[in-house]
Amino acid sequence: MARKLPSKNVVVIGLGWTGSILSYHLAKAGLDVVAIERGPWRDTATNFPPAYAQDELRYAVRLDLFLRPAQETLTFRNKADQIALPIRNFAGFLPGNGVGGAGIHWNGQTWRFLPTDFRLRSHLTERYGANILPDDMTIQDWPVSYDELEPYYDRFEKLCGTSGKAGNLKGVKQDGGNPFEGWRSAEYPTPPLKQGLGATLFAEAARKLGHSPFPQPASNLSEAYTNPLGIRMGQCSYCGFCERFGCGNYSKASPQTCVLPALLRVPNFTAQTESEVLKINLDSTGKRATGVTYVDTSGKEWEQPADIVLLCAFALFNVQLMLISGIGKPYDPVSGQGVVGRNYAYQTTSSVSVILKDKVLNPFIATGAHGMIIDDYNGDNFDHTNLGFVGGGYMGAGQTNGRPIQTRPVPKGTPKWGAAWKKATAETYQHAYSLSTHGSSYSYRECWLDLDPTYKDRLGRPLMRMTFDFHENELKMSAFLTERLAEIAKAMNPTEMQAHPRKGPYDSTIYQTTHNTGGTVMGDDPQTSVLNRYGQSWDVHNLFVPGGASVFPQNHGYNPTNTVGALAFWTADAITQRYLKNPGPLM
């Protein structure tokens, strides 16, 4: 029997980017807010001082900041006719664990989706005709437009202090920025990061081939900055310890560096860490959430009543909690009916590696979002007629690290161990560079999330089951992008180069990105979406899923964090400006 706690105005499940942003804005609006977080408390000064956090073995290899399968995992299969088996070692993607969530360990790459991304299905069929889309592709338009979301992109970038160069200010193209981006109401908060030699060489080669390279937008700050919450952030030191690490320099944006110092000063906010939410509780009608039930580290169950429930967990576990709680109709790929678990998507990346023996590249001088990019082949920025696929991605030269354990580039044909390998690593380390593509992953009828009928977690709940594979459309797109990237690589005059297009089937043991999307899709139609345009459940009006990547109808050719943050502000405004005045469905 769960012990009942005093009621709160708002209970927030998960304290990452969306949880911290919503907690701050609702608490500042005068609501009594409690956040319940599965993992431990983490703050910059205690957990990530520079002399302590830059430990590659602990964080990059042993994955200290990430969810342990013993806490919670999922089962995986490529096809519906296969038996899904538990993931016993997270490798293909890395869910965060603890306060800050995946916002601690991200690289800081901060992209806005293209205006056409938000009306993807309409745009593609209008330009090319309905036959351009495969029969089993289930992409759909977003219920919000780029124009509506632009002010919220701006707010998130200002929260983070994002460094970059605008390419489109209020409809006027700007030299040095991305010529394909949507309009911006303001320049980036801070200037672009300085570029290393590898990125500079890539940009020169890209220009020779007629492209327009620009500096990657980065929430690793190029200079000191004070954000709108009054939090002071530092200048990036180019240490190369971003992805999989916390930032002790206060220069990589995260909930710890951008929100929590202000949030913790609000007296009507509290956080309950190392506590697992078991389910969202509903009243007798099933149409209203009454709060949540959670279990603490001693195994005691607690009921936390609340007027509003915000589901801000990692994308996959947002879906799991809705299914376990019986909210929304589970998706059935056979009939195509149901919505919860529908439209799971991922990301499609590839690379081209080069060796430039006459150049010293200093790979250890790096950041998680450091480099030069071209956007010529992203989204529908190029003509897809007769290409046999839709979608695309950005490509570029980004030097994210030169850490000694995992960064060991060698020429093709080098033995995997021994004296020859040691010699090759010593000779190649300063001269190797990796170029990459970051492509879209569109949604399909037979890619979905549901509850596993066999396997359960340590608390007796069904594990989430993922059914996913790359499709011909994405593999063709990756091959095309990789060929274009190889053309630029060749223009850099390497002594050796190797192209690595994405191949199927999807392998959950090989890391690609942690950009898991879909499953609680937002839309205009309850028959094809879990949430309305404000992130509000169609079925339970006081439950919101405010901006996590689970709300994406499909994934586009960019990293998702900027859109996640923008949607968090979008939902925060919907709650404070509309829902609190008249609780009920927001139409």
Side-chain angles (χ1 to χ4, degrees), residues 125-248:
T125 55
E126 287 167 6
R127 182 175 181 183
Y128 303 105
N131 291 336
I132 190 73
L133 304 180
D135 292 338
D136 60 343
M137 184 181 281
T138 55
I139 59 172
Q140 58 196 58
D141 293 352
W142 289 68
V144 296
S145 68
Y146 177 87
D147 287 354
E148 289 176 304
L149 209 55
E150 196 284 332
Y152 299 94
Y153 273 131
D154 185 66
R155 285 173 66 178
F156 186 67
E157 289 162 2
K158 287 177 177 173
L159 180 78
C160 296
T162 306
S163 299
K165 177 69 185 78
N168 182 346
L169 272 179
K170 300 178 181 178
V172 179
K173 296 297 178 71
Q174 307 291 310
D175 291 339
N178 181 2
F180 296 97
E181 71 175 356
W183 67 275
R184 292 176 173 274
S185 54
E187 182 58 87
Y188 281 96
T190 53
L193 289 162
K194 295 179 180 179
Q195 299 301 328
L197 179 57
T200 301
L201 295 172
F202 169 84
E204 291 173 355
R207 288 190 191 98
K208 289 178 182 178
L209 296 180
H211 303 303
S212 301
F214 58 92
Q216 184 169 37
S219 289
N220 320 84
L221 275 60
S222 61
E223 62 185 28
Y225 172 78
T226 301
N227 79 5
L229 302 187
I231 300 171
R232 185 72 170 169
M233 300 174 68
Q235 183 181 24
C236 179
S237 61
Y238 300 83
C239 72
F241 287 81
C242 290
E243 185 179 22
R244 308 189 183 199
F245 297 83
C247 179

Side-chain angles (χ1 to χ4, degrees), residues 92-425:
F93 49 87
L94 302 172
N97 181 48
V99 172
I104 291 180
H105 67 77
W106 73 313
N107 263 327
Q109 298 169 8
T110 312
W111 294 95
R112 298 183 178 194
F113 288 167
L114 295 165
T116 53
D117 287 340
F118 289 95
R119 53 185 312 272
L120 182 65
R121 191 175 193 96
S122 294
H123 171 80
L124 291 176
T125 55
E126 287 167 6
R127 182 175 181 183
Y128 303 105
N131 291 336
I132 190 73
L133 304 180
D135 292 338
D136 60 343
M137 184 181 281
T138 55
I139 59 172
Q140 58 196 58
D141 293 352
W142 289 68
V144 296
S145 68
Y146 177 87
D147 287 354
E148 289 176 304
L149 209 55
E150 196 284 332
Y152 299 94
Y153 273 131
D154 185 66
R155 285 173 66 178
F156 186 67
E157 289 162 2
K158 287 177 177 173
L159 180 78
C160 296
T162 306
S163 299
K165 177 69 185 78
N168 182 346
L169 272 179
K170 300 178 181 178
V172 179
K173 296 297 178 71
Q174 307 291 310
D175 291 339
N178 181 2
F180 296 97
E181 71 175 356
W183 67 275
R184 292 176 173 274
S185 54
E187 182 58 87
Y188 281 96
T190 53
L193 289 162
K194 295 179 180 179
Q195 299 301 328
L197 179 57
T200 301
L201 295 172
F202 169 84
E204 291 173 355
R207 288 190 191 98
K208 289 178 182 178
L209 296 180
H211 303 303
S212 301
F214 58 92
Q216 184 169 37
S219 289
N220 320 84
L221 275 60
S222 61
E223 62 185 28
Y225 172 78
T226 301
N227 79 5
L229 302 187
I231 300 171
R232 185 72 170 169
M233 300 174 68
Q235 183 181 24
C236 179
S237 61
Y238 300 83
C239 72
F241 287 81
C242 290
E243 185 179 22
R244 308 189 183 199
F245 297 83
C247 179
N249 209 38
Y250 291 85
S251 54
K252 183 177 76 170
S254 68
Q256 275 75 3
T257 55
C258 298
V259 185
L260 294 181
L263 176 59
L264 294 178
R265 293 195 293 266
V266 183
N268 45 315
F269 168 78
T270 56
Q272 175 69 36
T273 59
E274 298 186 270
S275 297
E276 178 92 17
V277 173
L278 299 176
K279 63 177 180 176
I280 300 165
N281 301 321
L282 304 175
D283 67 8
S284 59
T285 69
K287 299 297 183 183
R288 182 179 176 277
T290 59
V292 303
T293 298
Y294 70 89
V295 60
D296 64 18
T297 54
S298 68
K300 292 182 180 179
E301 289 190 15
W302 303 85
E303 181 183 349
Q304 177 59 70
D307 300 320
I308 299 173
V309 177
L310 303 182
L311 184 47
C312 300
F314 185 69
L316 299 173
F317 304 118
N318 285 343
V319 182
Q320 182 188 32
L321 264 177
M322 292 197 77
L323 289 170
I324 287 172
S325 305
I327 301 172
K329 185 177 180 180
Y331 174 67
D332 174 15
V334 177
S335 66
Q337 301 298 306
V339 289
V340 184
R342 180 178 180 270
N343 277 31
Y344 171 76
Y346 188 43
Q347 207 86 66
T348 315
T349 64
S350 66
S351 65
V352 176
S353 57
V354 298
I355 296 176
L356 307 168
K357 286 200 171 178
D358 61 335
K359 302 292 190 299
V360 177
L361 300 172
N362 293 330
F364 49 85
I365 303 174
T367 81
H370 189 212
M372 294 294 287
I373 305 296
I374 67 166
D375 225 11
D376 304 59
Y377 302 107
N378 209 340
D380 197 39
N381 292 341
F382 59 107
D383 188 356
H384 286 76
T385 303
N386 298 324
L387 291 180
F389 67 87
V390 290
Y394 67 85
M395 58 181 66
Q399 193 158 288
T400 62
N401 78 90
R403 299 188 293 263
I405 296 176
Q406 293 183 311
T407 304
R408 295 282 179 165
V410 292
K412 187 175 181 179
T414 301
K416 295 186 180 299
W417 62 282
W421 174 80
K422 291 179 182 179
K423 183 174 184 292
T425 57

